[in-house]
Amino acid sequence: ALREFLAGAGWGEASRRRFLTDASARAYEIVRKQGHAPRVLMDSPPLVLGPPLRGGRSYAEIVHTARNLTAFIAIGKALAEAGVSVPEIYADDLEQGFALLEHLGSGRFLDDGGRPVADRYVAAAELLAFMHRRRWPQEIEVRPGVRHVVPPFDRDAMMTEAELLVDWYVPAMSGAPASERLRDGFRRAWGALIDRLEGSEKTLVLRDFHSPNILWRGDRAGHDRLGILDYQDALIGPSAYDVASLAMDARVTVPEAIEQDTLDAYVAARRARGPFGESEFHEAYAIMAAQRNSKILGIFVRLDRRDGKPAYLRHLPRIRAYLRRALAHPALAGLRAFYEEHGILQERMP
């Protein structure tokens, strides 16, 4: 089917080399054709929803995971129209989930040793500030008769993501399923924090805005230096979420000094264009950082236990350290006490 798709796009004679898979079911290839720049072939099969979790809905439905290629095309269109550098789409097959994409380059967002580069994190924070000053459409037309509605990052989604910690991480660390007492306390603590986000600024949240999904293009200028990937799961939610995703990068240890530089750059860029509620932002940042890192602890254990991908376990100490940073904010004192009471922040491996 991929060969037929490429042939229909005029690239039937191209050479193909698989080069990347990720935590999802997506796969990617580099395709090359004489006389042309290389392109990327993306195979993004329709999402398998999985069993019902709550109210007859699966986990993917509750947290609004993109179900097909339509979301990728729609969000990419909105980002491109706003001046964000995303891959141009040369051909697509919505039914099968195939797309032939522009190759944005291979410049790493990290340095050659895989370490964070402060100036690049600052540039990415400034891009987020640019994006967060814009009003984003909540419904995007992909083509006549095909539209994508950008879901909200609602209470159910936030809570269900955070509960991955008690669903997967707690049992792996304790050797027993989480008790109902622990679950009830967890929901109460998180319910109070989600309440505090009610009035926070909302914008387009790309959801995985961190180093694996950012290409550095040092020969470009301004925001074009950053090529953005993997945005199909975008939601409308608190603007602080993507800043937390960037500054507490799940795949690389970001020193506190670079985290602070990143936050300072974002705040400065926002304040330069008008009034900005800095204290409200920092509280929302801490809450979103705690939510995201709680979720990731659960996801990385799930990738090991359910999906047979143990390599993700090596990231657990970093994620716990990030979680401690987030929980240091006074607004999260109750959650910090709960996590400490139940040993969630202890350094141990499953």
Side-chain angles (χ1 to χ4, degrees):
L2 282 167
R3 285 195 294 269
E4 291 177 1
F5 170 72
L6 283 174
W11 281 63
E13 301 303 315
S15 64
R16 298 165 53 190
R17 179 174 62 84
R18 190 177 178 110
F19 82 105
L20 181 67
T21 58
D22 58 20
S24 75
R26 291 183 297 275
Y28 303 84
E29 299 179 11
I30 296 289
V31 293
R32 299 180 184 277
K33 178 180 174 182
Q34 190 169 4
H36 294 265
R39 295 183 179 180
V40 174
L41 176 62
M42 180 170 71
D43 178 4
S44 180
L47 182 69
V48 177
L49 292 178
L53 178 66
R54 189 178 300 118
R57 296 187 297 164
S58 68
Y59 174 84
E61 290 174 294
I62 296 170
V63 305
H64 310 301
T65 305
R67 299 191 190 187
N68 51 45
L69 189 61
T70 300
F72 176 83
I73 295 174
I75 299 300
K77 178 182 178 182
L79 290 171
E81 289 175 352
V84 180
S85 296
V86 297
E88 181 179 351
I89 301 174
Y90 301 113
D92 64 75
D93 184 323
L94 292 180
E95 184 175 345
Q96 297 191 96
F98 301 154
L100 187 61
L101 310 174
E102 177 186 6
H103 193 314
L104 290 181
S106 54
R108 299 187 64 192
F109 188 64
L110 309 175
D111 69 13
D112 292 340
R115 296 175 294 269
V117 180
D119 289 349
R120 298 178 189 179
Y121 279 77
V122 165
E126 291 170 345
L127 172 61
L128 286 177
F130 164 78
M131 291 171 57
H132 295 170
R133 293 193 297 266
R134 182 182 179 87
R135 291 182 65 87
W136 294 91
Q138 294 189 332
E139 189 170 331
I140 304 164
E141 184 177 57
V142 172
R143 58 188 56 142
V146 180
R147 306 181 73 84
H148 173 65
V149 176
V150 185
F153 197 9
D154 53 30
R155 188 183 196 89
D156 282 350
M158 287 187 192
M159 185 67 80
T160 301
E161 285 188 340
E163 284 185 317
L164 288 173
L165 183 139
V166 292
D167 292 338
W168 292 93
Y169 180 80
V170 168
M173 296 300 165
S174 67
S179 68
E180 283 306 311
R181 175 178 171 271
L182 188 153
R183 286 185 176 277
D184 289 345
F186 184 90
R187 293 186 188 113
R188 285 195 300 272
W190 268 110
L193 290 175
I194 293 172
D195 286 344
R196 297 180 73 103
L197 292 170
E198 195 64 35
S200 65
E201 179 188 63
K202 304 300 191 297
T203 188
L204 187 70
V205 174
L206 299 188
R207 216 168 178 179
D208 264 334
F209 190 81
H210 60 160
S211 59
N213 298 327
I214 307 174
L215 297 170
W216 180 252
R217 309 191 303 170
D219 58 331
R220 309 293 181 97
H223 299 316
D224 195 34
R225 293 174 297 169
L226 301 161
I228 308 303
L229 309 171
D230 197 13
Y231 38 75
Q232 63 282 331
D233 291 328
L235 306 172
I236 300 296
S239 56
Y241 185 92
D242 277 349
V243 186
S245 176
L246 170 69
M248 294 190 184
D249 193 323
R251 302 298 183 88
V252 60
T253 300
V254 179
E256 290 189 62
I258 294 181
E259 179 195 0
Q260 191 62 53
D261 288 346
T262 304
L263 292 177
D264 290 346
Y266 177 83
V267 170
R270 293 299 306 272
R271 292 177 65 183
R273 294 301 183 96
F276 178 65
E278 187 172 346
S279 62
E280 293 85 353
F281 164 75
H282 281 293
E283 179 177 304
Y285 171 85
I287 295 171
M288 290 284 79
Q291 190 271 352
R292 177 172 172 81
N293 285 296
S294 295
K295 172 188 75 171
I296 291 174
L297 285 177
I299 285 177
F300 284 174
V301 170
R302 186 177 70 179
L303 284 165
D304 169 50
R305 297 298 171 91
R306 189 192 71 181
D307 303 334
K309 298 179 178 180
Y312 286 90
L313 296 179
R314 72 179 187 274
H315 300 299
L316 296 184
R318 175 187 309 118
I319 305 305
R320 282 191 291 257
Y322 286 156
L323 192 48
R324 293 188 194 98
R325 289 188 202 176
L327 293 173
H329 191 283
L332 280 73
L335 184 67
R336 180 174 66 251
F338 178 84
Y339 278 20
E340 289 173 348
E341 176 189 354
H342 292 281
I344 291 170
L345 302 177
Q346 290 179 10
E347 285 301 323
R348 49 188 173 179
M349 295 296 286

Coordinates of all heavy atoms in Angstrom, one line a residue, residues 118-155:
A118 N 21.2 26.2 26.0 CA 20.3 27.2 26.6 C 19.7 28.1 25.5 O 18.5 28.4 25.6 CB 21.1 28.0 27.6
D119 N 20.5 28.6 24.6 CA 20.0 29.5 23.5 C 18.8 28.9 22.7 O 17.9 29.6 22.3 CB 21.1 29.9 22.6 CG 22.1 30.9 23.3 OD1 21.8 31.3 24.4 OD2 23.2 31.1 22.7
R120 N 18.9 27.6 22.5 CA 17.8 26.9 21.7 C 16.5 26.8 22.5 O 15.4 26.9 22.0 CB 18.3 25.6 21.2 CG 19.5 25.7 20.3 CD 20.1 24.4 19.8 NE 21.4 24.7 19.1 CZ 22.1 23.8 18.5 NH1 21.8 22.5 18.6 NH2 23.3 24.1 17.9
Y121 N 16.7 26.5 23.8 CA 15.5 26.5 24.7 C 14.9 27.9 24.8 O 13.6 28.0 24.8 CB 15.8 25.9 26.0 CG 15.9 24.4 26.0 CD1 17.0 23.7 25.5 CD2 14.8 23.7 26.5 CE1 17.0 22.3 25.5 CE2 14.9 22.3 26.5 CZ 15.9 21.6 25.9 OH 16.0 20.2 25.9
V122 N 15.7 28.9 24.8 CA 15.2 30.3 24.9 C 14.5 30.6 23.6 O 13.4 31.2 23.6 CB 16.4 31.3 25.1 CG1 15.9 32.7 24.7 CG2 16.8 31.2 26.5
A123 N 15.0 30.2 22.4 CA 14.4 30.4 21.1 C 13.0 29.7 21.1 O 12.0 30.2 20.5 CB 15.3 30.0 20.0
A124 N 13.0 28.5 21.6 CA 11.7 27.7 21.6 C 10.7 28.4 22.5 O 9.5 28.4 22.2 CB 11.9 26.3 22.0
A125 N 11.1 28.9 23.7 CA 10.2 29.6 24.6 C 9.7 30.9 23.9 O 8.5 31.2 24.0 CB 11.0 30.0 25.8
E126 N 10.5 31.6 23.1 CA 10.1 32.8 22.4 C 9.1 32.4 21.3 O 8.1 33.2 21.0 CB 11.3 33.5 21.9 CG 12.1 34.2 22.9 CD 13.4 34.7 22.5 OE1 13.9 34.4 21.3 OE2 14.1 35.5 23.2
L127 N 9.3 31.3 20.7 CA 8.3 30.8 19.7 C 6.9 30.5 20.4 O 5.9 30.9 19.9 CB 8.8 29.5 19.0 CG 7.8 28.8 18.1 CD1 7.3 29.7 16.9 CD2 8.3 27.5 17.5
L128 N 6.9 29.9 21.5 CA 5.7 29.7 22.3 C 5.0 31.0 22.6 O 3.8 31.1 22.5 CB 6.0 28.8 23.5 CG 6.2 27.4 23.3 CD1 6.6 26.7 24.7 CD2 5.1 26.6 22.6
A129 N 5.8 31.9 23.1 CA 5.2 33.2 23.4 C 4.6 33.9 22.2 O 3.5 34.5 22.3 CB 6.3 34.2 24.0
F130 N 5.2 33.8 21.0 CA 4.6 34.2 19.8 C 3.3 33.5 19.5 O 2.3 34.1 19.1 CB 5.7 34.0 18.6 CG 5.1 34.1 17.3 CD1 4.9 35.3 16.7 CD2 4.8 32.9 16.5 CE1 4.4 35.4 15.4 CE2 4.3 33.0 15.2 CZ 4.1 34.2 14.7
M131 N 3.3 32.2 19.7 CA 2.1 31.4 19.4 C 1.0 31.8 20.4 O -0.2 31.8 20.0 CB 2.4 30.0 19.5 CG 3.3 29.4 18.3 SD 3.8 27.7 18.6 CE 2.3 26.9 18.8
H132 N 1.3 32.0 21.6 CA 0.3 32.2 22.6 C -0.3 33.6 22.6 O -1.3 33.9 23.3 CB 0.9 31.9 24.0 CG 1.3 30.5 24.2 ND1 2.0 30.0 25.3 CD2 1.1 29.4 23.4 CE1 2.2 28.7 25.1 NE2 1.7 28.3 24.0
R133 N 0.2 34.5 21.8 CA -0.4 35.8 21.6 C -1.5 35.7 20.5 O -2.2 36.7 20.3 CB 0.6 36.8 21.2 CG 1.6 37.2 22.3 CD 2.4 38.4 22.0 NE 3.2 38.3 20.8 CZ 4.5 37.9 20.8 NH1 5.1 37.6 22.0 NH2 5.2 37.8 19.7
R134 N -1.6 34.6 19.9 CA -2.5 34.5 18.7 C -3.8 33.8 19.1 O -3.9 32.9 20.0 CB -1.8 33.6 17.6 CG -2.6 33.5 16.4 CD -1.8 32.6 15.4 NE -2.6 32.4 14.1 CZ -2.5 33.2 13.1 NH1 -1.8 34.3 13.1 NH2 -3.2 32.9 12.0
R135 N -4.9 34.1 18.4 CA -6.2 33.4 18.6 C -6.2 32.3 17.6 O -6.0 32.5 16.4 CB -7.4 34.4 18.4 CG -7.5 35.4 19.4 CD -8.8 36.3 19.2 NE -10.0 35.5 19.2 CZ -10.6 35.3 20.4 NH1 -10.2 35.8 21.5 NH2 -11.8 34.6 20.3
W136 N -6.5 31.1 18.1 CA -6.4 29.9 17.2 C -7.8 29.4 16.9 O -8.7 29.4 17.8 CB -5.6 28.8 17.9 CG -4.2 29.1 18.1 CD1 -3.6 29.8 19.2 CD2 -3.2 28.9 17.2 NE1 -2.3 29.9 19.0 CE2 -2.0 29.5 17.7 CE3 -3.1 28.4 15.9 CZ2 -0.7 29.4 17.1 CZ3 -1.9 28.3 15.3 CH2 -0.7 28.8 15.8
P137 N -8.0 28.9 15.7 CA -9.3 28.3 15.4 C -9.6 27.1 16.1 O -8.7 26.3 16.4 CB -9.2 28.1 13.9 CG -7.8 27.8 13.6 CD -7.1 28.8 14.6
Q138 N -10.8 26.8 16.5 CA -11.2 25.6 17.2 C -11.8 24.6 16.2 O -12.0 23.4 16.6 CB -12.2 25.9 18.3 CG -11.6 26.7 19.4 CD -12.5 26.9 20.6 OE1 -13.7 26.8 20.5 NE2 -11.9 27.0 21.8
E139 N -12.0 25.0 15.0 CA -12.4 24.1 13.9 C -11.7 24.4 12.7 O -11.6 25.6 12.3 CB -13.9 24.2 13.7 CG -14.5 23.1 12.8 CD -16.0 23.1 12.7 OE1 -16.6 23.5 13.8 OE2 -16.6 22.7 11.7
I140 N -11.1 23.4 12.1 CA -10.2 23.7 10.9 C -10.6 22.8 9.7 O -10.8 21.6 9.9 CB -8.7 23.3 11.3 CG1 -8.3 24.1 12.5 CG2 -7.8 23.6 10.1 CD1 -7.0 23.6 13.2
E141 N -10.8 23.4 8.6 CA -11.1 22.7 7.4 C -9.9 22.1 6.7 O -9.0 22.8 6.4 CB -11.9 23.6 6.4 CG -12.4 22.8 5.2 CD -13.2 23.7 4.2 OE1 -12.6 24.7 3.8 OE2 -14.3 23.4 3.9
V142 N -9.9 20.8 6.6 CA -8.7 20.1 5.9 C -8.9 20.2 4.4 O -8.0 20.4 3.7 CB -8.6 18.7 6.4 CG1 -7.6 17.9 5.7 CG2 -8.3 18.7 7.9
R143 N -10.1 19.9 4.0 CA -10.5 20.0 2.6 C -12.1 20.0 2.6 O -12.7 19.8 3.6 CB -10.0 18.8 1.8 CG -10.4 17.4 2.3 CD -9.6 16.4 1.5 NE -8.2 16.6 1.6 CZ -7.3 15.6 1.7 NH1 -7.7 14.4 1.8 NH2 -6.0 15.9 1.8
P144 N -12.7 20.3 1.5 CA -14.2 20.4 1.5 C -14.8 19.1 2.0 O -14.5 18.0 1.6 CB -14.5 20.6 0.0 CG -13.3 21.3 -0.6 CD -12.1 20.7 0.2
G145 N -15.6 19.3 3.0 CA -16.3 18.2 3.7 C -15.5 17.5 4.8 O -16.1 16.6 5.4
V146 N -14.3 17.9 5.0 CA -13.4 17.3 6.0 C -12.9 18.3 7.0 O -12.2 19.2 6.6 CB -12.2 16.5 5.4 CG1 -11.4 15.9 6.6 CG2 -12.7 15.4 4.4
R147 N -13.4 18.3 8.2 CA -13.0 19.3 9.2 C -12.5 18.6 10.5 O -12.9 17.5 10.8 CB -14.2 20.2 9.6 CG -14.9 20.8 8.3 CD -16.0 21.7 8.7 NE -15.6 23.0 9.4 CZ -15.2 24.0 8.7 NH1 -15.2 24.0 7.4 NH2 -14.8 25.1 9.3
H148 N -11.7 19.3 11.2 CA -11.1 18.8 12.5 C -11.5 19.8 13.5 O -11.2 21.0 13.4 CB -9.6 18.7 12.4 CG -9.0 18.3 13.7 ND1 -9.3 17.1 14.4 CD2 -8.1 19.0 14.5 CE1 -8.6 17.1 15.5 NE2 -7.9 18.2 15.6
V149 N -12.2 19.3 14.6 CA -12.5 20.2 15.8 C -11.4 19.9 16.8 O -11.1 18.8 17.2 CB -13.8 19.8 16.3 CG1 -14.1 20.6 17.6 CG2 -14.9 20.0 15.3
V150 N -10.7 21.0 17.2 CA -9.6 20.9 18.2 C -10.3 20.7 19.5 O -11.0 21.5 20.0 CB -8.7 22.1 18.2 CG1 -7.6 21.9 19.1 CG2 -8.3 22.5 16.8
P151 N -10.0 19.5 20.2 CA -10.7 19.2 21.5 C -10.2 20.2 22.6 O -9.1 20.7 22.5 CB -10.3 17.8 21.8 CG -9.7 17.3 20.5 CD -9.1 18.4 19.8
P152 N -10.9 20.3 23.7 CA -10.5 21.0 24.9 C -9.6 20.1 25.8 O -9.9 18.9 25.8 CB -11.8 21.4 25.6 CG -12.7 20.2 25.2 CD -12.3 19.8 23.8
F153 N -8.6 20.7 26.4 CA -7.9 20.0 27.4 C -8.7 20.1 28.7 O -8.5 21.0 29.6 CB -6.5 20.6 27.6 CG -5.5 19.7 28.4 CD1 -5.8 18.4 28.7 CD2 -4.3 20.2 28.7 CE1 -4.9 17.6 29.4 CE2 -3.4 19.4 29.4 CZ -3.7 18.1 29.7
D154 N -9.8 19.3 28.8 CA -10.8 19.4 29.9 C -10.4 18.7 31.1 O -9.4 18.0 31.2 CB -12.1 19.0 29.3 CG -12.1 17.6 28.7 OD1 -11.3 16.8 29.2 OD2 -13.0 17.3 27.8
R155 N -11.3 18.8 32.1 CA -11.0 18.2 33.4 C -10.8 16.7 33.3 O -9.9 16.1 33.9 CB -12.2 18.5 34.3 CG -12.0 18.1 35.8 CD -13.2 18.4 36.7 NE -12.8 18.4 38.1 CZ -12.4 19.4 38.7 NH1 -12.3 20.6 38.1 NH2 -12.1 19.3 40.0

